[in-house]
Every structure is written in C-alpha cells, then in structure tokens.
Amino acid sequence: MENITVRVARKEDCPRLLELIKELAAYENASQEVTVTLSHFEETGFGSNPVWKAFVATVIEDGNEFITGFALYYVRYSTWKGSRLYLEDIIVTEKWRGRKIGQLLFEQLILEAKAKQFSGITFQVLEWNEPAINFYKKFQAKFDPEWINVSIEMK
C-alpha cells in the first residue's frame, strides 16, 4: 500500500481542495452549486478570522506531494449537546478510492473531536449515496430522517 499521510491543511493546498470540491459536486450532480472563489475559500480558511479547518490525505507521486482527499470541518454549537465537530465535506478523489484513505481521514476527525472534547460529530449524507451511507455505518453513525434541510441564500 502507498505511504498515505494525513496532515492539517495549509493555505497552499486550497487550489487542490477546490478541485476536489468540484469533483464532489459533479458526483452529486450539483456542479453549478459551487460558487465559492479561490480567494474567498483561502480567506475563510486561513485569513484573520478562519471559519473552517481541514485534514488532507497525501501521497508522493513522481516525487511530489499529491492530495488524494480531504475532510473539511468547523465547530458547530448545539444547545442540546454543546460543541460538536461539523463535517462539511469528505472526499477521496476517484482514482484513490478503495485504499482506506476515507477511513484515515474520518479517524483523524474522531481524534480531533475527542482532543477538543466535543460532544460528537455531525454531518449530512445524500439519501441516494449508498457508498457513503455504508461507510458511515462502519462508524456506528446514527441517521435521523426527521429533519429537513433548510437554507436561505444571501444575494
């Protein structure tokens, strides 16, 4: 197996992370929904008031570090449960799937949540995304069909 490293994301990773975000959006049939710019993405992750953090999975390809996947998260506060890690996205690029990279990233998120003494990890999964659902079930994830996703766009 390849030597896969999981590390904290750095600003210079942002162009590759945005590529992976677009790959995920295409998989979810929602390419048109990705409207974030690279500069906004960098500023919100590494500017004066960062709102997200990420772990990246890397390998060495042709002598260079290559990001094969990432898990992007932020802190969410639940009035019922307290501070929780909110997993916004986790993706492993298609060519590198099936090599336990997603598992390594998810295990790193669990370690992070425990280290920060969060009460848990919260995330969403599309109801038709069986591979993702089956992946999360391996971690004893609890699925809640009662809630409806709601958002308001600011234009």
Side-chain angles (χ1 to χ4, degrees), residues 72-102:
L72 186 144
Y73 69 95
Y74 49 88
V75 178
R76 173 182 181 254
Y77 190 81
S78 165
T79 55
W80 293 6
K81 303 285 186 181
S83 295
R84 298 175 74 77
L85 186 152
Y86 188 86
L87 172 61
E88 179 64 28
D89 280 325
I90 184 169
I91 181 172
V92 175
T93 194
E94 188 172 10
K95 175 185 166 189
W96 286 90
R97 291 183 192 148
R99 302 182 202 199
K100 307 264 188 225
I101 296 170

Side-chain angles (χ1 to χ4, degrees), residues 137-155:
K137 284 180 178 177
K138 294 176 189 174
F139 294 93
Q140 287 77 50
K142 182 178 93 175
F143 296 81
D144 184 351
E146 277 188 88
W147 292 88
I148 296 172
N149 290 320
V150 180
S151 68
I152 299 172
E153 298 297 322
M154 300 294 145
K155 301 204 180 214

Side-chain angles (χ1 to χ4, degrees), residues 79-130:
T79 55
W80 293 6
K81 303 285 186 181
S83 295
R84 298 175 74 77
L85 186 152
Y86 188 86
L87 172 61
E88 179 64 28
D89 280 325
I90 184 169
I91 181 172
V92 175
T93 194
E94 188 172 10
K95 175 185 166 189
W96 286 90
R97 291 183 192 148
R99 302 182 202 199
K100 307 264 188 225
I101 296 170
Q103 179 179 327
L104 290 171
L105 287 165
F106 206 80
E107 287 170 351
Q108 187 64 49
L109 291 169
I110 292 169
L111 290 172
E112 180 80 353
K114 287 179 178 179
K116 303 254 191 233
Q117 299 182 318
F118 293 154
S119 63
I121 299 173
T122 304
F123 51 93
Q124 297 173 308
V125 61
L126 289 167
E127 63 186 356
W128 56 260
N129 192 344
E130 287 295 323

